[in-house]
Amino acid sequence: MKMRVGMGFDVHQLEEGRDFWLGGIKLPSSKGAVGHSDADVLIHAICDAILGAANLGDIGFHFSNTDPRWKGMQSRFFLQEVIKMIKEKDWQIENLDCTLTLEKPKINPHLPEMKKVLSSLMEISEEQISIKATTNERLGYVGREEGVNAYAVVLLRKD
Ligand code: MG
């Protein structure tokens, strides 16, 4: 059995009056993330972790943020495409561990729905997905509610 680890990081600005897509669901929030696609920072970090583990480049290489094809695109599409890419190379996801840093809204109440959506997109069980969230203790751009960070680590397996 072969195993490979990958890590992903992404950051997006937050702006008043935008939809806040995170982990494939729309969060109740007065602010939302700014980006070329739906700006789902968690899905972008997950895509980069998976691509990194398989050594297949990064999300910007496959889905450039200057390409009009991806404007306003739902990030769930990127994740599904990334899953297809690793399946072609016979990789399977063993587990995924993510951390979000943002001041609000509280993420805990939304984790069950987020995990349900991500497990279906990634074709793995919810038990293989861990998502944690922490505030930034009011420090820096996250603390000022100007941005949100996502970190993801994934382990791939090939039997
Ligand atoms: Mg991004």
Side-chain angles (χ1 to χ4, degrees):
M1 187 171 65
K2 211 173 160 187
M3 299 238 220
R4 295 275 291 254
V5 69
M7 68 88 64
F9 167 76
D10 197 23
V11 55
H12 278 265
Q13 284 179 38
L14 289 171
E15 209 172 81
E16 212 51 66
R18 292 208 177 231
D19 287 344
F20 196 177
W21 285 94
L22 193 67
I25 67 168
K26 197 163 111 178
L27 293 177
S29 169
S30 64
K31 286 186 175 183
V34 182
H36 185 66
S37 62
D38 66 4
D40 191 321
V41 70
L42 179 54
I43 287 190
H44 295 180
I46 293 171
C47 285
D48 265 358
I50 299 170
L51 289 169
N55 199 2
L56 289 171
D58 63 24
I59 190 170
F61 173 77
H62 294 285
F63 311 105
S64 165
N65 65 5
T66 55
D67 189 329
R69 277 184 300 169
W70 316 127
K71 180 140 180 61
M73 184 62 104
Q74 280 205 302
S75 294
R76 57 173 59 210
F77 167 81
F78 304 143
L79 184 53
Q80 284 172 312
E81 289 301 305
V82 165
I83 296 295
K84 275 188 215 162
M85 287 178 213
I86 60 157
K87 284 199 161 176
E88 276 169 25
K89 305 263 181 198
D90 295 322
W91 288 111
Q92 293 179 60
I93 292 172
E94 179 62 30
N95 77 304
L96 169 70
D97 185 25
C98 311
T99 301
L100 296 161
T101 66
L102 77 170
E103 294 299 320
K104 62 183 186 189
K106 285 276 171 231
I107 298 302
N108 256 352
H110 306 288
L111 286 182
E113 198 192 342
M114 227 181 249
K115 284 183 184 179
K116 197 169 155 190
V117 169
L118 290 173
S119 74
S120 128
L121 292 172
M122 299 171 74
E123 301 169 37
I124 57 175
S125 72
E126 291 172 41
E127 190 277 324
Q128 290 168 284
I129 302 174
S130 152
I131 305 168
K132 312 175 303 291
T134 176
T135 70
N136 215 45
E137 298 287 339
R138 296 263 146 213
L139 294 166
Y141 63 85
V142 171
R144 292 189 298 271
E145 297 170 31
E146 293 168 2
V148 51
N149 292 328
Y151 304 82
V153 173
V154 70
L155 189 66
L156 298 186
R157 185 186 76 236
K158 198 185 278 204
D159 293 321

mmCIF file of all heavy atoms in Angstrom, residues 51-76:
data_model
loop_
_atom_site.group_PDB
_atom_site.id
_atom_site.type_symbol
_atom_site.label_atom_id
_atom_site.label_comp_id
_atom_site.label_asym_id
_atom_site.label_seq_id
_atom_site.Cartn_x
_atom_site.Cartn_y
_atom_site.Cartn_z
ATOM 1 N N LEU A 51 -4.683 17.805 -4.427
ATOM 2 C CA LEU A 51 -3.787 17.941 -5.592
ATOM 3 C C LEU A 51 -2.330 17.838 -5.153
ATOM 4 O O LEU A 51 -1.509 17.223 -5.837
ATOM 5 C CB LEU A 51 -4.046 19.282 -6.301
ATOM 6 C CG LEU A 51 -5.370 19.392 -7.052
ATOM 7 C CD1 LEU A 51 -5.629 20.847 -7.467
ATOM 8 C CD2 LEU A 51 -5.399 18.484 -8.286
ATOM 9 N N GLY A 52 -2.015 18.415 -3.997
ATOM 10 C CA GLY A 52 -0.649 18.369 -3.479
ATOM 11 C C GLY A 52 -0.221 16.942 -3.162
ATOM 12 O O GLY A 52 0.887 16.527 -3.507
ATOM 13 N N ALA A 53 -1.107 16.190 -2.519
ATOM 14 C CA ALA A 53 -0.775 14.804 -2.164
ATOM 15 C C ALA A 53 -0.511 13.972 -3.414
ATOM 16 O O ALA A 53 0.373 13.118 -3.425
ATOM 17 C CB ALA A 53 -1.911 14.185 -1.349
ATOM 18 N N ALA A 54 -1.267 14.241 -4.478
ATOM 19 C CA ALA A 54 -1.112 13.476 -5.721
ATOM 20 C C ALA A 54 -0.070 14.102 -6.649
ATOM 21 O O ALA A 54 0.168 13.591 -7.747
ATOM 22 C CB ALA A 54 -2.462 13.381 -6.426
ATOM 23 N N ASN A 55 0.510 15.201 -6.225
ATOM 24 C CA ASN A 55 1.474 15.964 -7.035
ATOM 25 C C ASN A 55 0.907 16.316 -8.409
ATOM 26 O O ASN A 55 1.508 16.056 -9.450
ATOM 27 C CB ASN A 55 2.796 15.190 -7.162
ATOM 28 C CG ASN A 55 3.946 16.111 -7.562
ATOM 29 O OD1 ASN A 55 3.758 17.321 -7.701
ATOM 30 N ND2 ASN A 55 5.128 15.547 -7.760
ATOM 31 N N LEU A 56 -0.292 16.917 -8.379
ATOM 32 C CA LEU A 56 -0.987 17.271 -9.622
ATOM 33 C C LEU A 56 -1.172 18.784 -9.767
ATOM 34 O O LEU A 56 -2.136 19.244 -10.361
ATOM 35 C CB LEU A 56 -2.360 16.577 -9.669
ATOM 36 C CG LEU A 56 -2.362 15.055 -9.890
ATOM 37 C CD1 LEU A 56 -3.759 14.479 -9.683
ATOM 38 C CD2 LEU A 56 -1.853 14.712 -11.288
ATOM 39 N N GLY A 57 -0.248 19.553 -9.178
ATOM 40 C CA GLY A 57 -0.352 21.006 -9.317
ATOM 41 C C GLY A 57 -1.244 21.612 -8.250
ATOM 42 O O GLY A 57 -1.371 21.061 -7.159
ATOM 43 N N ASP A 58 -1.893 22.739 -8.585
ATOM 44 C CA ASP A 58 -2.775 23.372 -7.608
ATOM 45 C C ASP A 58 -4.048 23.875 -8.285
ATOM 46 O O ASP A 58 -4.196 23.800 -9.505
ATOM 47 C CB ASP A 58 -2.059 24.474 -6.821
ATOM 48 C CG ASP A 58 -1.594 25.637 -7.687
ATOM 49 O OD1 ASP A 58 -2.163 25.856 -8.778
ATOM 50 O OD2 ASP A 58 -0.663 26.345 -7.255
ATOM 51 N N ILE A 59 -4.948 24.381 -7.478
ATOM 52 C CA ILE A 59 -6.273 24.766 -7.980
ATOM 53 C C ILE A 59 -6.174 25.907 -9.001
ATOM 54 O O ILE A 59 -6.919 25.938 -9.978
ATOM 55 C CB ILE A 59 -7.219 25.103 -6.783
ATOM 56 C CG1 ILE A 59 -8.663 25.262 -7.267
ATOM 57 C CG2 ILE A 59 -6.749 26.318 -6.015
ATOM 58 C CD1 ILE A 59 -9.676 25.358 -6.138
ATOM 59 N N GLY A 60 -5.202 26.807 -8.782
ATOM 60 C CA GLY A 60 -5.021 27.918 -9.716
ATOM 61 C C GLY A 60 -4.530 27.449 -11.084
ATOM 62 O O GLY A 60 -4.845 28.045 -12.111
ATOM 63 N N PHE A 61 -3.776 26.362 -11.095
ATOM 64 C CA PHE A 61 -3.283 25.786 -12.347
ATOM 65 C C PHE A 61 -4.444 25.178 -13.139
ATOM 66 O O PHE A 61 -4.554 25.380 -14.350
ATOM 67 C CB PHE A 61 -2.221 24.723 -12.036
ATOM 68 C CG PHE A 61 -1.773 23.938 -13.245
ATOM 69 C CD1 PHE A 61 -0.886 24.495 -14.165
ATOM 70 C CD2 PHE A 61 -2.247 22.643 -13.465
ATOM 71 C CE1 PHE A 61 -0.482 23.768 -15.286
ATOM 72 C CE2 PHE A 61 -1.843 21.920 -14.585
ATOM 73 C CZ PHE A 61 -0.961 22.478 -15.491
ATOM 74 N N HIS A 62 -5.316 24.464 -12.457
ATOM 75 C CA HIS A 62 -6.416 23.775 -13.144
ATOM 76 C C HIS A 62 -7.624 24.678 -13.402
ATOM 77 O O HIS A 62 -8.337 24.496 -14.383
ATOM 78 C CB HIS A 62 -6.859 22.553 -12.333
ATOM 79 C CG HIS A 62 -5.817 21.493 -12.244
ATOM 80 N ND1 HIS A 62 -5.515 20.658 -13.292
ATOM 81 C CD2 HIS A 62 -4.970 21.152 -11.228
ATOM 82 C CE1 HIS A 62 -4.539 19.830 -12.932
ATOM 83 N NE2 HIS A 62 -4.188 20.115 -11.690
ATOM 84 N N PHE A 63 -7.866 25.625 -12.473
ATOM 85 C CA PHE A 63 -9.059 26.482 -12.573
ATOM 86 C C PHE A 63 -8.650 27.931 -12.313
ATOM 87 O O PHE A 63 -8.959 28.494 -11.260
ATOM 88 C CB PHE A 63 -10.135 26.037 -11.560
ATOM 89 C CG PHE A 63 -10.416 24.561 -11.593
ATOM 90 C CD1 PHE A 63 -9.933 23.729 -10.588
ATOM 91 C CD2 PHE A 63 -11.151 23.998 -12.632
ATOM 92 C CE1 PHE A 63 -10.175 22.356 -10.617
ATOM 93 C CE2 PHE A 63 -11.403 22.631 -12.665
ATOM 94 C CZ PHE A 63 -10.911 21.815 -11.659
ATOM 95 N N SER A 64 -7.970 28.520 -13.277
ATOM 96 C CA SER A 64 -7.396 29.856 -13.098
ATOM 97 C C SER A 64 -8.466 30.907 -12.755
ATOM 98 O O SER A 64 -9.557 30.909 -13.324
ATOM 99 C CB SER A 64 -6.681 30.265 -14.387
ATOM 100 O OG SER A 64 -6.425 31.648 -14.359
ATOM 101 N N ASN A 65 -8.090 31.821 -11.828
ATOM 102 C CA ASN A 65 -9.060 32.852 -11.431
ATOM 103 C C ASN A 65 -9.118 34.013 -12.432
ATOM 104 O O ASN A 65 -9.725 35.039 -12.157
ATOM 105 C CB ASN A 65 -8.796 33.351 -9.995
ATOM 106 C CG ASN A 65 -7.467 34.061 -9.862
ATOM 107 O OD1 ASN A 65 -6.758 34.266 -10.852
ATOM 108 N ND2 ASN A 65 -7.117 34.441 -8.645
ATOM 109 N N THR A 66 -8.484 33.835 -13.596
ATOM 110 C CA THR A 66 -8.645 34.826 -14.665
ATOM 111 C C THR A 66 -9.425 34.217 -15.837
ATOM 112 O O THR A 66 -9.689 34.891 -16.829
ATOM 113 C CB THR A 66 -7.271 35.317 -15.187
ATOM 114 O OG1 THR A 66 -6.502 34.176 -15.594
ATOM 115 C CG2 THR A 66 -6.503 36.071 -14.109
ATOM 116 N N ASP A 67 -9.802 32.931 -15.704
ATOM 117 C CA ASP A 67 -10.515 32.245 -16.784
ATOM 118 C C ASP A 67 -12.017 32.514 -16.641
ATOM 119 O O ASP A 67 -12.622 32.156 -15.628
ATOM 120 C CB ASP A 67 -10.232 30.738 -16.679
ATOM 121 C CG ASP A 67 -10.751 29.966 -17.882
ATOM 122 O OD1 ASP A 67 -11.770 30.394 -18.467
ATOM 123 O OD2 ASP A 67 -10.144 28.935 -18.225
ATOM 124 N N PRO A 68 -12.627 33.152 -17.673
ATOM 125 C CA PRO A 68 -14.061 33.487 -17.579
ATOM 126 C C PRO A 68 -14.958 32.262 -17.379
ATOM 127 O O PRO A 68 -16.073 32.388 -16.868
ATOM 128 C CB PRO A 68 -14.367 34.173 -18.919
ATOM 129 C CG PRO A 68 -13.189 33.948 -19.802
ATOM 130 C CD PRO A 68 -12.017 33.612 -18.918
ATOM 131 N N ARG A 69 -14.455 31.062 -17.742
ATOM 132 C CA ARG A 69 -15.257 29.839 -17.557
ATOM 133 C C ARG A 69 -15.599 29.599 -16.091
ATOM 134 O O ARG A 69 -16.601 28.976 -15.765
ATOM 135 C CB ARG A 69 -14.473 28.609 -18.059
ATOM 136 C CG ARG A 69 -14.579 28.383 -19.544
ATOM 137 C CD ARG A 69 -13.848 27.106 -19.915
ATOM 138 N NE ARG A 69 -12.436 27.175 -19.564
ATOM 139 C CZ ARG A 69 -11.605 26.124 -19.588
ATOM 140 N NH1 ARG A 69 -12.053 24.931 -19.919
ATOM 141 N NH2 ARG A 69 -10.326 26.265 -19.284
ATOM 142 N N TRP A 70 -14.711 30.045 -15.179
ATOM 143 C CA TRP A 70 -14.891 29.730 -13.753
ATOM 144 C C TRP A 70 -15.514 30.893 -12.974
ATOM 145 O O TRP A 70 -15.638 30.828 -11.769
ATOM 146 C CB TRP A 70 -13.555 29.313 -13.116
ATOM 147 C CG TRP A 70 -12.758 28.372 -13.946
ATOM 148 C CD1 TRP A 70 -11.456 28.519 -14.326
ATOM 149 C CD2 TRP A 70 -13.184 27.130 -14.530
ATOM 150 N NE1 TRP A 70 -11.062 27.461 -15.100
ATOM 151 C CE2 TRP A 70 -12.108 26.587 -15.247
ATOM 152 C CE3 TRP A 70 -14.402 26.430 -14.526
ATOM 153 C CZ2 TRP A 70 -12.192 25.391 -15.945
ATOM 154 C CZ3 TRP A 70 -14.478 25.231 -15.229
ATOM 155 C CH2 TRP A 70 -13.385 24.722 -15.920
ATOM 156 N N LYS A 71 -15.905 31.965 -13.678
ATOM 157 C CA LYS A 71 -16.478 33.126 -12.978
ATOM 158 C C LYS A 71 -17.827 32.740 -12.361
ATOM 159 O O LYS A 71 -18.709 32.226 -13.041
ATOM 160 C CB LYS A 71 -16.642 34.295 -13.953
ATOM 161 C CG LYS A 71 -17.223 35.529 -13.297
ATOM 162 C CD LYS A 71 -16.559 36.815 -13.787
ATOM 163 C CE LYS A 71 -17.153 38.031 -13.108
ATOM 164 N NZ LYS A 71 -16.972 38.019 -11.647
ATOM 165 N N GLY A 72 -17.934 32.986 -11.044
ATOM 166 C CA GLY A 72 -19.182 32.687 -10.338
ATOM 167 C C GLY A 72 -19.452 31.203 -10.178
ATOM 168 O O GLY A 72 -20.522 30.798 -9.732
ATOM 169 N N MET A 73 -18.465 30.376 -10.538
ATOM 170 C CA MET A 73 -18.627 28.919 -10.485
ATOM 171 C C MET A 73 -18.753 28.424 -9.052
ATOM 172 O O MET A 73 -18.096 28.939 -8.152
ATOM 173 C CB MET A 73 -17.405 28.277 -11.152
ATOM 174 C CG MET A 73 -17.471 26.779 -11.265
ATOM 175 S SD MET A 73 -18.852 26.221 -12.272
ATOM 176 C CE MET A 73 -18.024 25.766 -13.764
ATOM 177 N N GLN A 74 -19.596 27.417 -8.845
ATOM 178 C CA GLN A 74 -19.691 26.794 -7.527
ATOM 179 C C GLN A 74 -18.454 25.923 -7.323
ATOM 180 O O GLN A 74 -18.131 25.080 -8.161
ATOM 181 C CB GLN A 74 -20.943 25.928 -7.460
ATOM 182 C CG GLN A 74 -22.206 26.737 -7.199
ATOM 183 C CD GLN A 74 -23.253 25.861 -6.551
ATOM 184 O OE1 GLN A 74 -23.647 24.851 -7.105
ATOM 185 N NE2 GLN A 74 -23.694 26.251 -5.375
ATOM 186 N N SER A 75 -17.793 26.114 -6.196
ATOM 187 C CA SER A 75 -16.533 25.406 -5.945
ATOM 188 C C SER A 75 -16.726 23.900 -5.830
ATOM 189 O O SER A 75 -15.772 23.141 -5.998
ATOM 190 C CB SER A 75 -15.877 25.949 -4.686
ATOM 191 O OG SER A 75 -15.500 27.295 -4.915
ATOM 192 N N ARG A 76 -17.956 23.459 -5.544
ATOM 193 C CA ARG A 76 -18.197 22.019 -5.478
ATOM 194 C C ARG A 76 -17.804 21.355 -6.802
ATOM 195 O O ARG A 76 -17.358 20.217 -6.820
ATOM 196 C CB ARG A 76 -19.652 21.710 -5.128
ATOM 197 C CG ARG A 76 -20.666 22.318 -6.086
ATOM 198 C CD ARG A 76 -22.073 21.838 -5.780
ATOM 199 N NE ARG A 76 -22.475 22.177 -4.406
ATOM 200 C CZ ARG A 76 -23.323 21.450 -3.682
ATOM 201 N NH1 ARG A 76 -23.822 20.342 -4.182
ATOM 202 N NH2 ARG A 76 -23.664 21.826 -2.481
#
